[in-house]
Amino acid sequence: MTTKVETGVGKQNPMQQIRIEKVTVNIAVGKSGDPLEKGKKVLQQITNQTPCPRNARRTVKDWGIRKGEPISCIVTLRGKNSESFLRRALEAIGNKLSESCFDERGNFAFGIKEHIEIPGTKYVPEIGIFGMDVNVTLERPGYRIKRRAIRTSRVGKGHSITRQEAIEFAASKLQATVIKEGAIVGEA
């Protein structure tokens, strides 16, 4: 005897539902001091969370960066905060994503040139204008097996999120238009 879930007719398998695991927002200033503090204020204003500084991995003499020097700040959003921020961030870029924004594991990333393009953000002349990178990590129920402390395991190939599934998720759930080299894949 087969059920509707096994045959694929009717109800979807709840373990196959794609969801947003986290949204990571990064402002790379390139130097420590006052510009980094201003970048932290911008991230705090936009996300309502305290940003965490990130240090340089190596010394680059041409740019005046030393190894271990804080040069960027990052915020990780999870849960309802992540989805609400992601919708606002997508509005800033016109709800359009290039197909090249998606990787083979189903995650996607895009950049925002000016933080004042995000709805609800006001320009403060003392702070200035910053660009940022937004990285979105998608997952399915059951991905916890790769993060748990005891008996960690890999996510099977059939349960992994593909690039095409992530594109369909962005088009249907986030109402984003995915542009495929001159053609539009998903309409809002």
Side-chain angles (χ1 to χ4, degrees):
M1 182 174 163
T2 59
T3 64
K4 289 182 178 182
V5 175
E6 290 173 358
T7 59
V9 179
K11 197 168 117 180
Q12 278 277 1
N13 185 346
M15 292 296 284
Q16 290 291 319
Q17 297 294 321
I18 298 174
R19 63 185 181 206
I20 299 170
E21 177 192 353
K22 63 182 176 181
V23 175
T24 309
V25 187
N26 178 39
I27 293 181
V29 180
K31 53 180 120 172
S32 59
D34 194 40
L36 183 61
E37 293 304 316
K38 289 179 181 179
K40 284 183 182 180
K41 285 181 186 175
V42 167
L43 268 182
Q44 176 107 30
Q45 175 190 1
I46 292 172
T47 62
N48 295 325
Q49 285 190 14
T50 306
C52 179
R54 294 290 185 223
N55 299 334
R57 294 182 184 166
R58 62 182 71 90
T59 300
V60 181
K61 290 182 181 181
D62 294 339
W63 295 342
I65 297 173
R66 294 183 317 274
K67 182 178 180 178
E69 179 183 11
I71 59 170
S72 69
C73 50
I74 192 170
V75 169
T76 301
L77 302 167
R78 298 179 194 271
K80 292 180 182 177
N81 293 342
S82 65
E83 190 170 344
S84 65
F85 174 80
L86 183 57
R87 290 189 187 281
R88 287 183 17 228
L90 283 170
E91 266 185 61
I93 59 168
N95 283 336
K96 293 181 182 176
L97 292 169
S98 172
E99 192 177 40
S100 63
C101 294
F102 294 84
D103 70 2
E104 294 304 318
R105 300 224 179 249
N107 306 311
F108 62 95
F110 58 92
I112 299 174
K113 292 183 180 178
E114 297 179 352
H115 76 276
I116 57 173
E117 295 174 352
I118 297 174
T121 306
K122 295 180 181 174
Y123 174 66
V124 180
E126 295 84 38
I127 294 178
I129 296 175
F130 288 91
M132 61 186 65
D133 300 318
V134 179
N135 300 303
V136 182
T137 306
L138 301 176
E139 71 173 1
R140 285 190 165 124
Y143 270 42
R144 181 183 163 274
I145 64 165
K146 68 180 182 181
R147 292 188 300 266
R148 64 188 180 189
I150 298 172
R151 293 193 57 168
T152 58
S153 184
R154 294 188 313 213
V155 175
K157 186 178 178 184
H159 199 63
S160 297
I161 300 172
T162 64
R163 181 182 208 162
Q164 190 58 40
E165 288 172 333
I167 289 172
E168 290 168 6
F169 174 82
S172 64
K173 299 280 187 197
L174 301 173
Q175 287 78 37
T177 304
V178 181
I179 300 168
K180 179 182 178 179
E181 297 180 30
I184 296 175
V185 175
E187 282 276 338

